[in-house]
């Protein structure tokens, strides 16, 4: 279990409301219809709930629908869904089946939970549908970095408001732009640690040498580079 404080979810809500939620609503000029297709055991399910907290309409679909691409696409069209938030592995067959080009395409597709393959990235970037890619571990309250899906190459983008991202070497020194380093995250969305796993908490949540005294950062184990 990851001990995520309510302050982390509050910070995530404020960021999402101030950016993607407000901008998507502004373009539509009305309340939005958002699909909720994740299991509640998956941390990204919270992202979809944030739209409800901001006054939008949330449509829940059971597993019989979410496991069938044609049924899910038909449900999106029937309910005139504006926002689809899903994993790349489900987005790819949805796109193949006409998600981006059908009679009722969404206004926004959000990808997260996995690395987005370049072919899928390019198909969304070249479509008329807005796309956003989200990166983040549960230890940083679901989302830590975001990027608009544009151009040819997938990126995880920049940290959310208030969050910090470091690319460090084995001595915890910043690597040069273009060089590969391990990704560390810091900021108000950081979890407290792991339930009952003190050694694991000490290993992954370490002192932040670039913050104020007492700040911590999370060692993701992921490798990245600044482009």
């Amino acid at each position: 279990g990851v001990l995520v404080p309510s302050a982390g979810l509050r910070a995530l809500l404020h960021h999402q409301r101030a950016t993607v939620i407000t901008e998507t609503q502004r373009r539509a000029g009305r309340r939005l219809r958002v699909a909720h297709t994740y299991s509640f055991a998956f941390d990204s399910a919270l992202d979809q709930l944030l739209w409800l907290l901001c006054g939008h309409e949330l449509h829940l679909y059971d597993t019989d629908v979410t496991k069938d691409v044609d049924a899910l696409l038909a449900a999106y069209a029937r309910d005139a869904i504006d926002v689809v938030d899903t994993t790349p592995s489900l987005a790819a067959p949805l796109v193949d089946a006409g998600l981006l080009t059908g009679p009722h395409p969404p206004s926004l597709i959000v990808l997260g939970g996995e690395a987005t393959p370049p072919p899928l990235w390019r198909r969304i970037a070249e479509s008329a549908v807005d796309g956003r890619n989200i990166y983040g571990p549960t230890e940083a309250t679901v989302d830590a970095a975001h990027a608009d899906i544009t151009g040819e190459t997938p990126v995880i983008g920049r940290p959310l408001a208030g969050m910090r991202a470091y690319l460090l070497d084995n001595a915890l020194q910043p690597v040069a732009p273009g060089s590969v380093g391990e990704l560390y995250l810091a900021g108000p969305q950081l979890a407290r640690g792991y339930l009952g796993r003190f050694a694991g908490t000490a290993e992954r949540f370490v002192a932040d040498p670039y913050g104020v005294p007492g700040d911590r950062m999370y060692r993701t184990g992921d490798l990245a580079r600044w482009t």
Side-chain angles (χ1 to χ4, degrees), residues 56-163:
H56 298 286
E57 186 177 299
L58 198 62
H59 291 250
L60 279 71
Y61 301 100
D62 63 28
T63 53
D64 290 340
V65 174
T66 60
K67 290 182 178 179
D68 184 325
V69 169
D70 292 332
L72 190 55
L73 208 58
Y76 289 166
R78 180 193 67 227
D79 297 331
I81 292 297
D82 297 302
V83 181
V84 173
D85 182 342
T86 187
T87 59
S89 60
L90 179 56
L94 285 171
V95 169
D96 289 340
L99 175 66
L100 304 177
T101 57
H104 301 285
S107 301
L108 173 70
I109 182 169
V110 181
L111 301 181
E114 305 162 347
T116 300
L120 177 60
W121 181 281
R122 287 192 291 268
R123 291 183 71 178
I124 296 174
E126 293 167 359
S127 76
V129 176
D130 290 332
R132 175 159 293 210
N133 190 71
I134 301 291
Y135 164 85
T138 304
E139 290 87 346
T141 314
V142 190
D143 300 337
H146 64 121
D148 290 332
I149 298 179
T150 60
E152 294 285 321
T153 306
V155 295
I156 64 169
R158 296 184 177 277
L160 272 61
M163 294 294 290

Side-chain angles (χ1 to χ4, degrees), residues 164-176 179-186 206-211 216-226:
R164 304 186 299 280
Y166 309 124
L167 292 183
L168 307 178
D169 61 20
N170 291 335
L172 298 184
Q173 294 299 306
V175 299
S179 299
V180 175
E182 187 171 0
L183 177 60
Y184 289 76
L185 301 170
V206 297
D208 180 359
Y210 305 101
R216 301 172 307 139
M217 57 184 183
Y218 171 66
R219 181 182 185 182
T220 68
D222 292 332
L223 300 180
R225 63 185 175 90
W226 293 111

